[in-house]
Amino acid sequence: MTAQDVTEDLWDDTAYEKKLMMGNSLVAAGDAVYKLATSENWSIVIPVEPDRGAQLQEEGFVKVRFLKNQYESWGETKLLTNGDGNTYLQLSFTNSMVTFATDRFLDVELIVEDETGLKIPKSSIVQKEFFLIPEEYVIPGGNNGGDSIMRQAVLEDGTLSSEVLEIEVYYFDDETKEYYLDSSILNSGDNIYKLDSQETFTVSKRATLTGVYNINKGYADFKQITILYENDEYAIVEPNMKYSLSVYDYIVLNAETVKDDQLIRQ
């Protein structure tokens, strides 16, 4: 079979039966009883969307990971439109043929963006909403070494006062100069004071962060993540960011099964 002979029905592995061809004939001393492969040139064919296939063909080569043994190699790309009208991508290699010579089907992953970071399961990822507070309204380094804010309070006699609240920062946007603070600490409509000023800011603006639940301390603690690459099963996230994850952190496998600050029994 050639690459041009490939059709969609060949992917129906339930209809595929591997047959061992044996002639049971007598051979003389010195005769060959094996098939000799004299070339390392071989290829695989995968189904592909026409637009994506055209992009890959234009690149000329693509990095391929064989999931059977995690081996990686560069395949030369060639776009095919076969007799069944479907589009396929042929990936040709010049090494390691002997490793896969007995396989009819292979699971592969195309590495079109090779990113380095922390690998986490997609089931761990969750979205959470936060209040956005301007930088000048957050007081760095409180009594316990953490950050804090000064919230406006009304006394029993109706006079205005203030109270200091210790906060946990979940993210700081360098472009907008805003902190992301947990909505469980503040309420929409709260007024907070600017440091060393009577100027106030009314809490209302919200935004959503993508993250996971870190359980290093025994409870579900949200940590923001920046996704560098993702597929259907996992994501690669940027490591060692402030307010984010580090190597050897423990995270919840299924984010839908926990709530904020829930105690976790490991």
Side-chain angles (χ1 to χ4, degrees):
M1 177 179 291
T2 67
Q4 288 75 16
D5 294 328
V6 170
T7 56
E8 184 179 8
D9 58 357
L10 292 176
W11 269 269
D12 182 11
D13 55 3
T14 60
Y16 173 72
E17 181 180 355
K18 189 173 184 178
K19 294 181 179 180
L20 183 61
M21 308 300 292
M22 298 180 65
N24 293 324
S25 58
L26 296 175
V27 295
D31 288 349
V33 290
Y34 52 83
K35 181 177 181 179
L36 183 64
T38 60
S39 173
E40 278 281 290
N41 296 327
W42 64 291
S43 65
I44 61 175
V45 175
I46 63 174
V48 68
E49 293 294 330
D51 292 343
R52 186 59 178 141
Q55 295 174 353
L56 293 170
Q57 178 172 248
E58 186 176 349
E59 292 180 12
F61 289 84
V62 64
K63 193 183 221 182
V64 180
R65 177 181 294 133
F66 296 89
L67 302 188
K68 174 182 178 180
N69 58 0
Q70 299 300 307
Y71 173 74
E72 295 178 0
S73 183
W74 287 89
E76 186 175 7
T77 58
K78 181 180 180 181
L79 194 62
L80 306 171
T81 302
N82 288 354
D84 62 353
N86 292 319
T87 305
Y88 303 95
L89 187 69
Q90 181 180 6
L91 299 166
S92 299
F93 306 91
T94 59
N95 56 63
S96 304
M97 181 274 296
V98 66
T99 304
F100 307 105
T102 58
D103 293 298
R104 185 59 167 168
F105 299 96
L106 287 171
D107 291 320
V108 299
E109 181 179 0
L110 304 188
I111 307 175
V112 292
E113 296 181 6
D114 198 1
E115 299 286 0
T116 300
L118 302 177
K119 183 178 180 180
I120 63 172
K122 289 287 290 291
S123 60
S124 297
I125 299 176
V126 67
Q127 305 285 327
K128 185 179 177 182
E129 193 174 56
F130 295 88
F131 282 120
L132 272 61
I133 306 299
E135 179 182 21
E136 58 269 24
Y137 287 87
V138 174
I139 305 169
N143 294 331
N144 298 321
D147 300 325
S148 60
I149 57 173
M150 187 174 294
R151 182 170 61 182
Q152 188 180 84
V154 180
L155 301 179
E156 292 182 359
D157 60 3
T159 59
L160 294 178
S161 183
S162 63
E163 57 181 347
V164 176
L165 299 176
E166 296 283 339
I167 59 171
E168 181 177 357
V169 174
Y170 288 87
Y171 180 65
F172 178 71
D173 192 321
D174 288 318
E175 294 186 3
T176 64
K177 302 301 180 183
E178 293 174 311
Y179 283 98
Y180 284 66
L181 303 186
D182 195 343
S183 55
S184 65
I185 298 176
L186 295 169
N187 298 306
S188 182
D190 283 350
N191 290 318
I192 57 177
Y193 288 105
K194 183 187 292 188
L195 181 62
D196 298 327
S197 171
Q198 290 301 307
E199 186 176 345
T200 62
F201 171 81
T202 302
V203 176
S204 63
K205 187 178 179 181
R206 296 173 181 260
T208 300
L209 288 178
T210 300
V212 298
Y213 284 115
N214 182 306
I215 55 173
N216 289 355
K217 300 177 182 179
Y219 61 90
D221 184 18
F222 181 90
K223 294 295 182 181
Q224 179 266 346
I225 59 173
T226 298
I227 298 176
L228 303 175
Y229 166 82
E230 61 181 322
N231 59 23
D232 293 337
E233 297 181 358
Y234 66 84
I236 303 297
V237 303
E238 192 167 341
N240 302 321
M241 292 179 59
K242 191 175 183 181
Y243 312 121
S244 189
L245 294 177
S246 299
V247 178
Y248 305 122
D249 279 348
Y250 288 92
I251 62 174
V252 174
L253 177 61
N254 188 349
E256 296 182 356
T257 63
V258 300
K259 299 179 181 179
D260 288 304
D261 298 325
Q262 177 180 335
L263 293 177
I264 303 296
R265 184 176 298 174
Q266 298 186 34

